[in-house]
Amino acid sequence: MTLSSYSALPNQRVTAANGIDYAYRDTGPADGDDAGVPLVLLQHFRGNLDNWDPALIDALSPARRVITFDNTGVGGSSGMTPNTVERMAYDAIAFVEALDLGGQVDVLGFSLGSFVAQQIALTRPALVRRLVLASSAPQGAAGMHGWAPEVIGAIGEPETSPEDYLSVFFTPSPAGLQAGGQAARRIYGARGEDRDAATSWATRQAQYDAVCTWGIPDHTKLQRLGCLTMPVFVANGDSDPMILPHYSHLLAGLIPQARVKIYPDAAHGFLFQHHTEFAADVDAFLGGPR
């Protein structure tokens, strides 16, 4: 059975073969209820289980099983957060294998999570049926080596507030400010008890090291994406200051079966702002012909 909302789901744990205890949440139709291929979500920089917008998860889950989790060392999961995307990908694969999801999964990666999703698809292509890359960029793209000072200043300090994230995740237009306020109330206010553990400063440092390494210019890294044969949906907001839409077009152009969509008057959190439209687009993509 599906619970009323993502904000009401219990925190669960599973121990993988790598010895890590992963915290996760699981919603949507159960196995045996024609749930189809599970959709596994990979979270953004410094994000934990509670940083997903419940409205987005609730919109994605009626037609399929949706699983969110904390990767190694993040939030309620054990271990030390690795400082490379490649290692994060291996840890994510270990989590998926621990749940024994029956073969293939669909993967939706957001921001840093989209880097990890790309690496999963490259490392273990047989595991990934379809791939959704939100606010993403390919490894080795010129200009991606670290984020603009105002961006990392807003979301990379030891103490950050919802207002700091809103300045990066939403545009300053009236529509953007309204959407940001609504998303903040859902993300920070909908769940009062049994919240996930906060991410640590050590996790922040390791993740930003991984982001910066991913962004070191290297043309040969771009060529790897031609190996991906599964369908890929690339999406972003038209005003994302963190990962510019230019990189979404570049990414989609490097992947043989990729399509791209840019959402209007939206920044890094376009998938929260346009959660109904984005979820419908993802649903159509995951259920479409190969």
Side-chain angles (χ1 to χ4, degrees), residues 17-18 86-87 89-98 103-107 116-131 224 227-230:
N18 60 359
E86 183 177 20
R87 185 67 257 171
Y90 278 113
D91 287 345
I93 290 168
F95 166 76
V96 170
E97 291 177 339
Q104 288 189 310
V105 296
D106 293 326
V107 177
V116 179
Q118 291 176 56
Q119 188 63 47
I120 292 171
L122 290 165
T123 300
R124 195 70 60 83
L127 180 64
V128 181
R129 187 186 73 105
R130 292 181 182 241
L131 186 61
R224 306 183 313 157
C227 298
L228 298 182
T229 60
M230 73 285 292

Side-chain angles (χ1 to χ4, degrees), residues 27-86:
T27 188
D31 290 339
D33 292 339
D34 194 27
V37 178
L39 176 63
V40 178
L41 273 57
L42 299 165
Q43 184 59 295
H44 65 70
F45 175 67
R46 301 186 78 177
N48 65 9
L49 296 174
D50 290 322
N51 290 116
W52 289 109
D53 187 339
L56 173 62
I57 309 302
D58 293 348
L60 288 169
S61 59
R64 63 184 47 80
R65 185 178 179 187
V66 178
I67 300 164
T68 63
F69 75 105
D70 290 332
N71 211 345
T72 301
V74 178
S77 292
S78 67
M80 180 177 295
T81 304
N83 63 0
T84 68
V85 169
E86 183 177 20

Side-chain angles (χ1 to χ4, degrees), residues 13 55 80 107 113-114 127 135 140 160 162 191 217 223 226 229 245 255 277:
R13 302 189 72 83
M80 180 177 295
V107 177
S114 75
L127 180 64
S135 299
T160 59
R191 189 181 183 96
Q223 297 173 339
T229 60
I255 299 172
E277 181 180 359

Side-chain angles (χ1 to χ4, degrees), residues 167-231:
S167 69
V168 173
F169 276 53
F170 299 90
T171 65
S173 73
L177 292 173
Q178 180 182 32
Q182 292 170 344
R185 287 189 289 274
R186 295 190 299 263
I187 293 170
Y188 296 102
R191 189 181 183 96
E193 299 180 354
D194 196 27
R195 291 184 65 83
D196 193 12
T199 54
S200 67
W201 183 247
T203 287
R204 181 271 187 211
Q205 296 289 69
Q207 288 184 340
Y208 196 53
D209 286 350
V211 167
C212 290
T213 299
W214 183 265
I216 294 173
D218 184 345
H219 183 72
T220 63
K221 299 294 186 185
L222 302 177
Q223 297 173 339
R224 306 183 313 157
L225 294 170
C227 298
L228 298 182
T229 60
M230 73 285 292

Side-chain angles (χ1 to χ4, degrees), residues 100-166:
D100 192 19
L101 297 174
Q104 288 189 310
V105 296
D106 293 326
V107 177
L108 189 162
F110 174 28
S111 192
L112 171 59
S114 75
F115 303 167
V116 179
Q118 291 176 56
Q119 188 63 47
I120 292 171
L122 290 165
T123 300
R124 195 70 60 83
L127 180 64
V128 181
R129 187 186 73 105
R130 292 181 182 241
L131 186 61
V132 180
L133 302 174
S135 299
S136 193
Q139 184 177 11
M144 268 298 296
H145 190 220
W147 289 319
E150 62 272 18
V151 171
I152 194 62
I155 54 98
E157 296 300 316
E159 297 295 331
T160 59
S161 68
E163 290 74 21
D164 295 322
Y165 276 91
L166 291 177

